[in-house]
């Protein structure tokens, strides 16, 4: 099995990960593996404590259990995202697709189903953090009133900044780089998420969320069009055609 490698320190020190789980055994094991991989780890066993810890030391990433006492992981995710962007990996206790969809709907960047391998979780953390860093170089992308600055990780629609999660930003950037081409969900999962396998509903949910932020009428999308039997196509001319 692949071993988690030592994480390179950033200019501000090693990345800080907040682990939120009410099961002390799970939290201790996860925190131990992350610590050995070179991360600074904070722990919380419920939602209010997690929000307090995050406010005191804003994390670079949150590993968040969906099933928490009192305030569940979905509400914790919503409240954290209300204060600023932060990548979230959701832990779901069951292999229940509804749980995974709920986590993705509130903007989780990845999810891991219990029971899981702590080594796998560390690799997921590394993957999400690596993709969340601003690009060192990258030309601005734009079409149909949308503009993306990869270096600053900022996106605007008709001059107004869009509040996009990590994966939504990556998905929009990918579509803007490949206008007019149809991509299957497997292609998007590989190119945007960097996964060769996974739950394709992840792509479906993120496309739906992105449409909600860039389309005039998400129920009748003109920019991100469904290509039946294939997947999705970004059509910059779709907005003009519908106006």
């Amino acid at each position: 099995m692949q071993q988690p490698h030592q994480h390179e320190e950033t200019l501000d020190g090693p990345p800080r990960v907040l682990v939120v789980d009410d099961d002390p055994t799970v939290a201790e094991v996860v925190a131990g593996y992350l610590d050995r991989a070179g991360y600074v780890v904070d722990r919380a066993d419920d939602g209010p404590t997690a929000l307090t810890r995050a406010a005191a030391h804003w994390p670079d990433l949150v590993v968040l259990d969906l099933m928490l006492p009192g305030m569940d992981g979905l509400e914790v995710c919503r409240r954290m995202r209300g204060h600023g962007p932060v990548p979230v990996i959701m832990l779901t206790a069951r292999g229940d697709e509804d749980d995974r969809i709920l986590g993705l709907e509130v903007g989780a960047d990845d999810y891991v189903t219990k029971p899981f391998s702590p080594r796998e979780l560390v690799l997921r953390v590394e993957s999400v953090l690596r993709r969340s860093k601003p690009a060192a170089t990258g030309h601005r992308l734009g079409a149909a009133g949308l503009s993306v600055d990869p270096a600053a990780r900022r996106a605007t629609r008709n001059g107004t900044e869009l509040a996009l999660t990590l994966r939504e930003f990556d998905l929009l950037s990918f579509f803007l780089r490949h206008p007019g081409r149809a991509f299957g969900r497997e292609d998007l999962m590989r190119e945007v998420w960097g996964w060769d396998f996974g739950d394709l509903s992840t792509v479906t949910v993120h496309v739906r969320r992105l449409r909600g932020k860039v389309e005039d009428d998400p129920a009748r999308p003109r920019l991100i069009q469904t290509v039946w039997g294939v997947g999705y196509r970004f059509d910059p001319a779709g907005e003009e055609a519908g106006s």
Side-chain angles (χ1 to χ4, degrees), residues 11 21 25 44 67 105 107 113 209 211 215 227:
L11 292 175
D21 197 307
T25 302
M67 303 297 290
E105 287 284 11
T113 302
R209 285 177 55 86
R211 281 171 167 167
E215 299 279 2
V227 181

Side-chain angles (χ1 to χ4, degrees), residues 172-231:
L172 178 58
S173 299
F174 183 81
F175 278 137
L176 284 169
R177 282 195 297 270
H178 302 93
R181 285 184 57 190
F183 293 93
R185 292 188 299 170
E186 295 90 346
D187 300 324
L188 293 172
M189 178 160 281
R190 183 173 56 252
E191 297 294 335
V192 177
W193 276 259
W195 302 348
D196 289 322
F197 58 89
D199 182 356
L200 294 179
S201 64
T202 300
V203 177
T204 308
V205 170
H206 278 77
V207 168
R208 184 164 67 243
R209 285 177 55 86
L210 184 58
R211 281 171 167 167
K213 298 177 181 182
V214 304
E215 299 279 2
D216 288 331
D217 182 358
R220 293 189 298 168
R222 299 187 184 280
L223 293 173
I224 304 173
Q225 298 184 1
T226 297
V227 181
W228 298 111
V230 180

Side-chain angles (χ1 to χ4, degrees), residues 7-17 38-40 60:
H7 200 286
E8 294 182 4
E9 293 194 6
T10 64
L11 292 175
D12 298 321
R16 180 180 293 273
V17 178
Y39 297 95
V40 174
D60 295 294

Side-chain angles (χ1 to χ4, degrees), residues 25-37:
T25 302
V26 172
E28 187 172 342
V29 170
V30 169
Y33 271 81
L34 289 169
D35 179 70
R36 287 192 291 276

Side-chain angles (χ1 to χ4, degrees), residues 85-234:
V86 59
V88 172
I89 296 179
M90 196 77 79
L91 302 180
T92 62
R94 303 179 300 277
D96 188 336
E97 185 176 7
D98 290 342
D99 284 349
R100 298 200 300 272
I101 296 296
L102 278 172
L104 295 168
E105 287 284 11
V106 298
D109 298 289
D110 200 352
Y111 64 85
V112 177
T113 302
K114 294 181 179 180
F116 57 86
S117 157
R119 288 185 179 88
E120 178 197 354
L121 179 59
V122 171
L123 293 172
R124 294 288 188 101
V125 168
E126 290 173 345
S127 173
V128 171
L129 281 173
R130 188 165 55 245
R131 299 177 77 86
S132 69
K133 289 180 180 178
T137 59
H139 300 293
R140 286 176 180 266
L141 305 165
L146 297 167
S147 177
V148 165
D149 182 346
R153 289 197 75 86
R154 293 184 63 221
T156 60
R157 178 174 186 258
N158 298 327
T160 301
E161 187 152 2
L162 294 169
L164 301 180
T165 66
L166 163 67
R167 300 297 185 186
E168 290 165 1
F169 182 92
D170 290 345
L171 187 59
L172 178 58
S173 299
F174 183 81
F175 278 137
L176 284 169
R177 282 195 297 270
H178 302 93
R181 285 184 57 190
F183 293 93
R185 292 188 299 170
E186 295 90 346
D187 300 324
L188 293 172
M189 178 160 281
R190 183 173 56 252
E191 297 294 335
V192 177
W193 276 259
W195 302 348
D196 289 322
F197 58 89
D199 182 356
L200 294 179
S201 64
T202 300
V203 177
T204 308
V205 170
H206 278 77
V207 168
R208 184 164 67 243
R209 285 177 55 86
L210 184 58
R211 281 171 167 167
K213 298 177 181 182
V214 304
E215 299 279 2
D216 288 331
D217 182 358
R220 293 189 298 168
R222 299 187 184 280
L223 293 173
I224 304 173
Q225 298 184 1
T226 297
V227 181
W228 298 111
V230 180
Y232 304 100
R233 179 183 64 236
F234 178 70

